[in-house]
Coordinates of all heavy atoms in Angstrom, one line a residue:
K193 N 10.2 13.9 -28.4 CA 10.2 12.5 -28.8 C 9.4 11.7 -27.7 O 8.6 10.9 -28.1 CB 11.6 12.0 -28.9 CG 12.4 12.4 -30.1 CD 13.7 11.7 -30.2 CE 14.4 12.1 -31.5 NZ 15.8 11.4 -31.6
L194 N 9.7 12.0 -26.4 CA 8.9 11.3 -25.4 C 7.4 11.6 -25.5 O 6.6 10.7 -25.3 CB 9.5 11.8 -24.0 CG 10.9 11.3 -23.7 CD1 11.3 11.9 -22.4 CD2 11.0 9.8 -23.6
S195 N 7.1 12.8 -25.8 CA 5.6 13.1 -25.9 C 5.0 12.4 -27.0 O 3.8 12.2 -27.0 CB 5.4 14.7 -26.0 OG 6.0 15.1 -27.2
K196 N 5.8 12.1 -28.1 CA 5.2 11.4 -29.2 C 5.3 9.8 -29.0 O 4.9 9.1 -29.8 CB 6.0 11.7 -30.5 CG 5.8 13.2 -30.9 CD 6.6 13.4 -32.2 CE 6.4 14.9 -32.7 NZ 7.2 15.1 -33.9
G197 N 5.9 9.4 -27.8 CA 6.0 8.0 -27.6 C 7.1 7.3 -28.3 O 7.2 6.1 -28.4
E198 N 8.0 8.2 -28.8 CA 9.1 7.6 -29.6 C 10.2 7.0 -28.6 O 10.5 7.6 -27.6 CB 9.8 8.6 -30.5 CG 8.9 9.2 -31.5 CD 9.6 10.2 -32.4 OE1 10.8 10.3 -32.3 OE2 8.9 10.8 -33.2
P199 N 10.7 5.9 -28.9 CA 11.7 5.3 -28.0 C 13.1 6.0 -28.1 O 13.3 6.9 -28.9 CB 11.8 3.8 -28.5 CG 11.5 3.9 -29.9 CD 10.5 5.0 -30.0
A200 N 14.0 5.6 -27.2 CA 15.3 6.2 -27.2 C 16.0 5.8 -28.5 O 15.6 4.8 -29.2 CB 16.1 5.7 -26.0
S201 N 17.0 6.6 -28.9 CA 17.7 6.3 -30.1 C 19.2 5.9 -29.8 O 20.1 6.7 -29.9 CB 17.7 7.5 -31.0 OG 16.4 8.0 -31.3
P202 N 19.4 4.6 -29.4 CA 20.7 4.2 -29.0 C 21.6 4.1 -30.2 O 21.2 3.7 -31.3 CB 20.5 2.9 -28.3 CG 19.2 2.4 -28.9 CD 18.4 3.6 -29.2
R203 N 22.8 4.5 -30.0 CA 23.8 4.4 -31.1 C 25.2 4.4 -30.4 O 25.4 4.9 -29.3 CB 23.7 5.5 -32.1 CG 24.0 6.9 -31.6 CD 24.0 7.9 -32.7 NE 24.4 9.2 -32.3 CZ 23.5 10.2 -31.9 NH1 22.3 9.8 -31.8 NH2 24.0 11.3 -31.5
P204 N 26.2 3.8 -31.0 CA 27.5 3.8 -30.4 C 28.1 5.2 -30.3 O 28.0 6.0 -31.2 CB 28.3 2.9 -31.4 CG 27.3 2.1 -32.2 CD 26.1 3.0 -32.3
F205 N 28.7 5.4 -29.2 CA 29.4 6.7 -29.0 C 30.5 6.6 -27.9 O 30.5 5.6 -27.1 CB 28.4 7.8 -28.5 CG 27.8 7.6 -27.1 CD1 28.4 8.3 -26.0 CD2 26.7 6.8 -26.9 CE1 27.8 8.1 -24.8 CE2 26.2 6.6 -25.7 CZ 26.8 7.3 -24.6
V206 N 31.4 7.5 -27.9 CA 32.6 7.5 -27.0 C 32.1 8.0 -25.7 O 31.8 9.2 -25.5 CB 33.7 8.4 -27.6 CG1 34.9 8.3 -26.6 CG2 34.1 7.9 -29.0
F207 N 32.1 7.1 -24.7 CA 31.6 7.4 -23.4 C 32.3 8.5 -22.7 O 31.7 9.5 -22.2 CB 31.6 6.1 -22.6 CG 30.8 6.2 -21.3 CD1 29.4 6.3 -21.3 CD2 31.4 6.1 -20.0 CE1 28.7 6.4 -20.2 CE2 30.7 6.2 -18.9 CZ 29.3 6.3 -18.9
N208 N 33.7 8.4 -22.7 CA 34.5 9.4 -22.0 C 34.3 10.8 -22.6 O 34.3 11.8 -21.9 CB 35.9 9.0 -22.0 CG 36.2 7.9 -20.9 OD1 35.4 7.7 -20.0 ND2 37.4 7.3 -21.0
A209 N 34.2 10.8 -23.9 CA 34.0 12.1 -24.6 C 32.7 12.8 -24.1 O 32.6 14.0 -23.9 CB 34.0 12.0 -26.1
A210 N 31.6 12.0 -24.0 CA 30.4 12.6 -23.5 C 30.5 13.1 -22.0 O 30.0 14.1 -21.7 CB 29.3 11.5 -23.5
V211 N 31.3 12.3 -21.2 CA 31.5 12.8 -19.9 C 32.3 14.1 -19.8 O 32.0 15.0 -19.1 CB 32.3 11.7 -19.1 CG1 32.6 12.2 -17.7 CG2 31.4 10.4 -19.0
R212 N 33.4 14.1 -20.6 CA 34.2 15.4 -20.6 C 33.4 16.6 -21.1 O 33.6 17.7 -20.6 CB 35.4 15.1 -21.6 CG 36.4 14.1 -21.1 CD 37.7 14.2 -21.9 NE 38.6 13.1 -21.6 CZ 38.7 11.9 -22.3 NH1 37.9 11.8 -23.3 NH2 39.5 11.0 -21.9
E213 N 32.5 16.4 -22.1 CA 31.7 17.5 -22.6 C 30.8 18.1 -21.5 O 30.7 19.3 -21.3 CB 30.9 17.0 -23.8 CG 30.2 18.2 -24.5 CD 29.4 17.7 -25.7 OE1 29.8 16.6 -26.2 OE2 28.5 18.4 -26.2
V214 N 30.2 17.2 -20.7 CA 29.4 17.7 -19.6 C 30.2 18.4 -18.5 O 29.8 19.4 -18.0 CB 28.6 16.5 -19.0 CG1 27.8 17.0 -17.8 CG2 27.6 15.9 -20.0
L215 N 31.4 17.8 -18.2 CA 32.2 18.4 -17.2 C 32.7 19.8 -17.7 O 32.8 20.7 -16.8 CB 33.4 17.5 -16.9 CG 33.1 16.1 -16.3 CD1 34.4 15.4 -16.0 CD2 32.3 16.3 -15.0
A216 N 33.0 19.9 -18.9 CA 33.4 21.2 -19.4 C 32.3 22.3 -19.3 O 32.6 23.4 -18.9 CB 33.8 21.1 -20.9
L217 N 31.1 21.9 -19.5 CA 30.0 22.8 -19.4 C 29.7 23.1 -17.9 O 29.1 24.2 -17.6 CB 28.7 22.2 -20.0 CG 28.7 22.0 -21.5 CD1 27.5 21.2 -22.0 CD2 28.8 23.3 -22.2
S218 N 30.2 22.3 -17.0 CA 30.0 22.5 -15.6 C 31.1 23.3 -14.9 O 31.0 23.6 -13.7 CB 29.8 21.2 -14.8 OG 28.8 20.4 -15.5
Q219 N 32.1 23.6 -15.6 CA 33.3 24.3 -15.0 C 33.0 25.6 -14.4 O 33.5 25.9 -13.3 CB 34.4 24.5 -16.1 CG 35.2 23.2 -16.5 CD 35.8 22.6 -15.3 OE1 36.5 23.3 -14.5 NE2 35.6 21.3 -15.1

Side-chain angles (χ1 to χ4, degrees):
K193 285 184 177 180
L194 289 174
S195 65
K196 293 180 179 178
E198 296 182 9
S201 303
R203 64 175 185 272
F205 68 97
V206 181
F207 193 66
N208 281 345
V211 175
R212 292 191 189 98
E213 188 175 340
V214 174
L215 296 183
L217 295 172
S218 306
Q219 283 303 310

